[in-house]
Amino acid sequence: MDTRFVFIIIILLVLLQRLWELRISKANEIYLLHHGGQVRGSNNLKLVKFLQLGWFAAMILEVWWFNRPFTPLLASLALLFLIAGQLLRYVSMKALGYRWTLPLITLPGVAAVDSGIYRFLRHPNWLGVILEIAALPLVHSAWVTAVLFSFINALLMVDRVRQEEKALSMDSDYEQLMGNRPRFLWFPRFGFMTPVNRL
């Protein structure tokens, strides 16, 4: 079987997951707004949706147009990172429960989430996104897509993380609870990954 078709199946599964997440987010948005939630920012959702669609299209085009090879070792490593990203996103959603949404919605006066994976990291969901965007194209050696969209995602993530932390610090005890924890697993003290009180 042509490995490119297997690659397409994997992409379709990730796309279906994204659609499932949209449904969960919408249900959580309705619940939060009904219980006093406040929309604190767009979270760059229009740009993010454009990024996601472009990412899906780019990796498919790169594999077909440039006839990228299937390299078993690279594909295996990429799948491991992809699964790690998926797990991080799942445990983030589980820990946040009804508070997990794509738009930036807070519950003023309600304590920040400090359980599950959030005991160790401030943004495990974003770490999962970082891993997915880099790893999925590399399953079939689409390295241009991996590099280009990782860079674009990093630019967007700087603003999204700052928006999120500002809103949570304003509406909850987020800064006191999470201020000294790393945003991600690496480079916790550089750039936009520094503690909240340095922003």
Side-chain angles (χ1 to χ4, degrees):
M1 184 177 183
D2 191 332
T3 55
R4 293 177 299 178
F5 291 107
V6 177
F7 182 56
I8 291 293
I9 292 170
I10 296 170
I11 290 173
L12 288 174
L13 290 173
V14 173
L15 179 58
L16 287 173
Q17 181 205 37
R18 292 293 193 268
L19 295 174
W20 172 71
E21 289 175 358
L22 283 173
R23 291 188 63 184
I24 292 175
S25 176
K26 196 63 182 175
N28 289 345
E29 288 171 47
I30 293 168
Y31 179 88
L32 287 171
L33 294 175
H34 183 70
H35 288 82
Q38 298 291 316
V39 179
R40 295 300 188 190
S42 68
N43 220 357
N44 296 322
L45 281 182
K46 288 184 180 179
L47 287 173
V48 170
K49 288 176 181 177
F50 181 77
L51 168 73
Q52 290 279 323
L53 290 173
W55 176 63
F56 283 119
M59 68 180 104
I60 293 170
L61 287 172
E62 182 176 350
V63 167
W64 252 264
W65 188 267
F66 294 102
N67 197 27
R68 295 296 190 211
F70 176 77
T71 307
L73 179 59
L74 178 60
S76 299
L77 290 172
L79 280 171
L80 282 176
F81 280 105
L82 177 63
I83 292 167
Q86 296 277 309
L87 287 173
L88 279 167
R89 287 165 59 75
Y90 172 76
V91 296
S92 301
M93 292 171 69
K94 184 176 172 62
L96 289 173
Y98 66 87
R99 295 168 74 173
W100 184 87
T101 58
L102 295 174
L104 183 47
I105 301 175
T106 62
L107 280 171
V110 178
V113 173
D114 187 34
S115 59
I117 189 70
Y118 289 91
R119 289 177 295 169
F120 310 104
L121 299 172
R122 280 188 268 164
H123 300 289
N125 183 66
W126 296 139
L127 178 58
V129 172
I130 290 168
L131 291 174
E132 287 178 351
I133 287 178
L136 182 54
L138 294 177
V139 170
H140 215 292
S141 303
W143 61 269
V144 173
T145 300
V147 171
L148 177 62
F149 281 84
S150 291
F151 176 72
I152 296 170
N153 180 58
L155 294 179
L156 280 174
M157 187 113 17
V158 170
D159 186 54
R160 297 184 83 189
V161 166
R162 285 180 173 156
Q163 280 188 50
E164 187 174 300
E165 292 186 349
K166 181 179 178 181
L168 288 168
S169 296
M170 181 172 61
D171 288 341
S172 73
D173 55 351
Y174 178 82
E175 185 172 344
Q176 289 73 33
L177 280 177
M178 309 291 280
N180 292 320
R181 295 178 196 178
R183 286 186 173 92
F184 307 106
L185 289 178
W186 50 79
F187 309 132
R189 297 186 178 278
F190 294 92
F192 71 96
M193 300 180 186
T194 56
V196 175
N197 54 21
R198 295 189 186 179
L199 286 175

